[in-house]
Amino acid sequence: MTSRTSRALTVGFDLDMTLIDSRPGIKAAFLALSAETGTYIDADLAINRLGPPLEQELRHWFPEEQIQVMGDRYREIYPTYAIAPSLAMPGAREAVAAVRAHGGRAIVVTAKHEPNAKLHLAHLGIDADAVIGWLWAEAKAVALREHDAAVYVGDHIGDVRGARTADALSVAVATGPCDAAELRAAGADVVLTDLTRFPAWLDSYVAGAVK
């Protein structure tokens, strides 16, 4: 892995179940799509496996030829149903502030539709230096490299793969569908119980980098 002293401090964050608890909003959006289409969707099941792109979830409920149309419709109704009910994860604002306190940049790299990701952050008052959407797992490395991110924080094994592909330190939080053991097995460099532990960890990381 590239030396952390060779990079300016840019920290990337995943969105769903890392910075925000979007489960209430996503559940509402899936239920609305289900009601509109007359197609059964187990929204409780869907929100317990967040992380991968929307299309992967839709394939559990719709035939392949409808996936594009259903994905477009879901994203269209999403702002109406999903933004207001979704909450900031414990420690989310403090984690972003901790990056800024060290003179760093905090970016968000997510598989979510980028305009909807920006709506979430604006609604919750989480101010990112850049928001890059539509990237999942290894593809997240594209944005992480572009922004020279030294650290990527996420809750899913896909986030771990993205960080490692980008040669960034993988910091995992066990607040999503993947538990701590899964995250470690996937190759996370650091596993935290949640983002409330991140500022102290970042202090230690930065102190180690400048010794």
Side-chain angles (χ1 to χ4, degrees), residues 4 6 20 35 37 44 51 62 82 90 115 128 136 138 153 176 191 200 202 204:
R4 55 188 169 177
S6 67
I20 71 169
T37 61
D44 288 312
F62 294 95
W136 161 241
E138 289 83 357
V153 185
V191 179
L202 186 65
S204 298

Side-chain angles (χ1 to χ4, degrees), residues 20-66:
I20 71 169
D21 184 350
S22 52
R23 290 173 299 183
I26 289 175
K27 179 177 179 177
F30 273 129
L31 290 175
L33 184 66
S34 177
E36 182 177 299
T37 61
T39 299
Y40 174 73
I41 299 173
D42 187 337
D44 288 312
L45 178 59
I47 63 172
N48 282 311
R49 52 190 182 198
L50 297 180
L54 170 65
E55 285 74 15
Q56 186 169 317
E57 182 61 41
L58 290 175
R59 286 187 177 94
H60 292 289
W61 315 109
F62 294 95
E64 187 63 35
E65 64 270 17
Q66 294 183 21

